[in-house]
Amino acid sequence: MSKKLHLISLGCTKNLVDSEVMLEKLKDYENTQSLSEADLIIINTCGFIEAAKKESIGEILNALENKKENALLIASGCLSERYAKELKEEIPQIDIITGVGDYDKIDKLIQERKQSGKTIVSNQKGTFLIQDNERIISNSTIHAYIKLSEGCNQKCSFCAIPSFKGKLHSRTLDSALKEVKNLALKGFRDFTFISQDSSSYLRDYGIKDGLVDLIEGVENLANEGIAIKSARILYLYPATTSTKLIQKITKSPIFHNYFDMPLQHSSKKVLQQMGRNGEFINLLKLMQKAPNNFIRTSFIIGHPGEEEEDFKELCNFINTFNFDRINFFSFSSEEGTKSATMEQIPQKIKNSRLKQINTIFQKQYRQNLKNLVGREIIAILEGISEESEYFYKARDMRFAPEIDGEILINDKTIEESLEVGFYRVRITEILGDTILGCVIGKA
């Protein structure tokens, strides 16, 4: 009887890539959705902010309570990297504690645990260069994430990530392109490139605009007959994003004019306190000029030093600049960061500001959705929707999976059966935040 694996991947898509490497290393295990019947349980944790830490701890405790006797429990990822010592002391029932640098050794760590019978702590801090690992891509047969780098050289005063992930470590361009090619040969057509700070890719090799080289490399693969249909890049940083890069994206036949740049604030005073560059208006204007553009950002509300006038400035900025998507985060005071030592804004004020600014953006967002009705777009159909067996799920080809929303397909004008792939879709209706569409042909 085959052994069973239950894996929970928390946090960001970079974590998901690491989880997919572990799935490949443990492909002899049968995957199960039932925690209680698993012989091996992996919680790939997130330790980015306080809420994520609590979620990770909650999943670990739940696994301990519900796992069957003799099942091995592994805590991996950011929380384990950051708090390995504390986890071992406070939750000694965890069998293996492994960080963000040795997920590709997970099979060896399990073997070591079985032989020794002792808790294994393995967090190879500072050594996690991305290797050419095979992965079992989860959740899609057409889309894959490509991780470009680990760590970060930025010095944002609110962020703890560099303290436990270290400085920027880019994978080589050859390595990234090799992975894209191999996945494309397996049938993947749509790619999202990710890292902590994607626009700094290859700067640790002395290359200023590494993403430009990446785009050219992907285009060359397509020109050689490798079937790559579409791509986008997440997590651009204002100070390391060049006009050359935006222009390159705009001209690319494969990369969408999808610009994901977390700005965090618009007040220069607050940005200075955050340790961030405030010069991004010209970049945003350039993005806006790109045809069929899609602009996503995020803002932190209630960072220490954010006065009412700073908050109002941010509200006015959002009213002036029409973003397609915005994530708002309440400031989270993180242990070991400069922002944590500053005078904190009461949570009641942060909650009030979050509510106000969400109301402003929701009005824009709903109007943008209404403007879609009647439009014809190219969409990626990804199978039956979890909403209902009577709907297919699809997304605008520009959209990043899971974060930008989906289109429910409840009608078609073509006779062929609908399979995973690229289609021409007409947006027919908006119900609340739900987008409905009709397939009118193959793309």
Side-chain angles (χ1 to χ4, degrees), residues 271-330:
L271 286 166
Q272 188 175 20
Q273 290 167 328
M274 289 178 166
R276 291 178 64 89
N277 185 302
E279 303 300 324
F280 47 69
I281 296 300
N282 289 336
L283 292 174
L284 289 176
K285 287 179 178 177
L286 200 57
M287 294 171 189
Q288 274 191 316
K289 289 179 182 176
N292 204 26
N293 65 70
F294 188 93
I295 305 176
R296 161 181 275 282
T297 191
S298 63
F299 295 108
I300 294 173
I301 308 302
H303 184 276
E306 181 193 69
E307 297 178 289
E308 193 63 32
E309 61 186 31
D310 300 305
F311 175 68
K312 286 179 179 176
E313 181 182 329
L314 179 57
C315 291
N316 291 334
F317 176 70
I318 290 169
N319 262 326
T320 304
F321 195 96
N322 194 2
F323 292 96
D324 293 282
R325 300 288 187 275
I326 302 178
N327 275 60
F328 296 108
F329 296 97
S330 176

Side-chain angles (χ1 to χ4, degrees), residues 2-8 29-43 59 62-69 71-73:
S2 64
K3 298 232 170 185
K4 295 184 178 181
L5 164 66
H6 181 78
L7 188 149
I8 299 172
Y29 283 77
E30 178 188 342
N31 282 310
T32 175
Q33 296 300 311
S34 173
L35 188 152
S36 60
E37 68 177 28
D39 301 285
L40 178 65
I41 300 161
I42 301 176
I43 315 290
E59 291 288 359
N62 179 61
L64 283 173
E65 188 177 336
N66 293 290
K67 76 182 185 74
K68 69 181 183 182
E69 191 178 355
L72 290 184
L73 175 62

Side-chain angles (χ1 to χ4, degrees), residues 79-90:
L79 187 80
S80 302
E81 181 76 40
R82 192 175 179 187
Y83 298 108
K85 181 182 175 185
E86 291 86 345
L87 282 173
K88 186 180 181 184
E89 289 174 354
E90 296 180 24

Side-chain angles (χ1 to χ4, degrees), residues 152-429:
C152 184
N153 285 352
Q154 308 303 340
K155 294 179 171 60
C156 301
S157 62
F158 54 82
C159 185
I161 287 175
S163 70
F164 61 90
K165 281 210 169 185
K167 290 190 175 293
L168 176 73
H169 291 280
S170 300
R171 71 192 297 181
T172 64
L173 181 60
D174 284 346
S175 167
L177 294 176
K178 178 183 174 184
E179 184 171 31
V180 172
K181 180 177 179 179
N182 288 343
L183 287 169
L185 291 173
K186 291 178 181 177
F188 293 91
R189 300 285 177 264
D190 181 50
F191 297 91
T192 302
F193 293 87
I194 54 173
S195 53
Q196 199 62 44
D197 168 15
S198 295
S199 46
S200 290
Y201 175 56
L202 294 181
R203 285 196 167 212
D204 45 332
Y205 287 88
I207 299 170
K208 183 183 176 184
D209 263 318
L211 285 181
V212 172
D213 295 345
L214 174 78
I215 292 167
E216 290 176 352
V218 172
E219 290 171 352
N220 288 338
L221 287 175
N223 291 336
E224 292 166 9
I226 304 298
I228 303 165
K229 183 93 171 178
S230 67
R232 65 202 62 72
I233 301 166
L234 300 189
Y235 315 125
L236 302 178
Y237 188 86
T240 52
T241 299
S242 66
T243 55
K244 181 181 179 183
L245 172 60
I246 295 173
Q247 289 165 349
K248 186 68 179 177
I249 292 171
T250 302
K251 293 175 183 175
S252 175
I254 292 174
F255 283 75
H256 304 298
N257 293 336
Y258 182 103
F259 303 103
D260 173 42
M261 181 180 284
L263 300 176
Q264 310 303 9
H265 218 281
S266 63
S267 161
K268 288 195 174 182
K269 185 197 83 179
V270 176
L271 286 166
Q272 188 175 20
Q273 290 167 328
M274 289 178 166
R276 291 178 64 89
N277 185 302
E279 303 300 324
F280 47 69
I281 296 300
N282 289 336
L283 292 174
L284 289 176
K285 287 179 178 177
L286 200 57
M287 294 171 189
Q288 274 191 316
K289 289 179 182 176
N292 204 26
N293 65 70
F294 188 93
I295 305 176
R296 161 181 275 282
T297 191
S298 63
F299 295 108
I300 294 173
I301 308 302
H303 184 276
E306 181 193 69
E307 297 178 289
E308 193 63 32
E309 61 186 31
D310 300 305
F311 175 68
K312 286 179 179 176
E313 181 182 329
L314 179 57
C315 291
N316 291 334
F317 176 70
I318 290 169
N319 262 326
T320 304
F321 195 96
N322 194 2
F323 292 96
D324 293 282
R325 300 288 187 275
I326 302 178
N327 275 60
F328 296 108
F329 296 97
S330 176
F331 171 75
S332 175
S333 179
E334 290 303 306
E335 183 183 357
T337 63
K338 184 178 177 182
S339 296
T341 66
M342 301 167 69
E343 186 178 348
Q344 303 296 303
I345 292 174
Q347 189 62 47
K348 187 176 179 181
I349 293 176
K350 289 191 283 188
N351 291 344
S352 173
R353 290 176 181 175
L354 270 173
K355 188 175 180 181
Q356 290 177 59
I357 206 161
N358 257 313
T359 301
I360 290 169
F361 178 65
Q362 282 301 313
K363 187 177 178 182
Q364 285 183 1
Y365 174 63
R366 289 202 167 87
Q367 185 57 51
N368 288 342
L369 289 184
K370 288 177 184 176
N371 294 342
L372 291 174
V373 176
R375 281 188 58 189
E376 183 182 315
I377 62 167
I378 305 296
I380 302 172
L381 191 141
E382 296 182 295
I384 302 296
S385 172
E386 288 81 12
E387 297 269 331
S388 166
E389 60 183 303
Y390 300 108
F391 291 92
Y392 289 91
K393 63 178 179 180
R395 58 184 164 86
D396 187 318
M397 193 162 64
R398 299 171 304 168
F399 289 7
E402 298 176 16
I403 62 172
D404 292 323
E406 69 177 21
I407 301 163
L408 295 181
I409 304 296
N410 62 345
D411 200 5
K412 62 175 183 173
T413 61
I414 59 174
E415 293 183 5
E416 303 102 300
S417 60
L418 299 181
E419 300 173 346
V420 172
F422 294 80
Y423 293 88
R424 289 185 295 117
V425 169
R426 182 181 297 113
I427 306 303
T428 56
E429 193 176 359

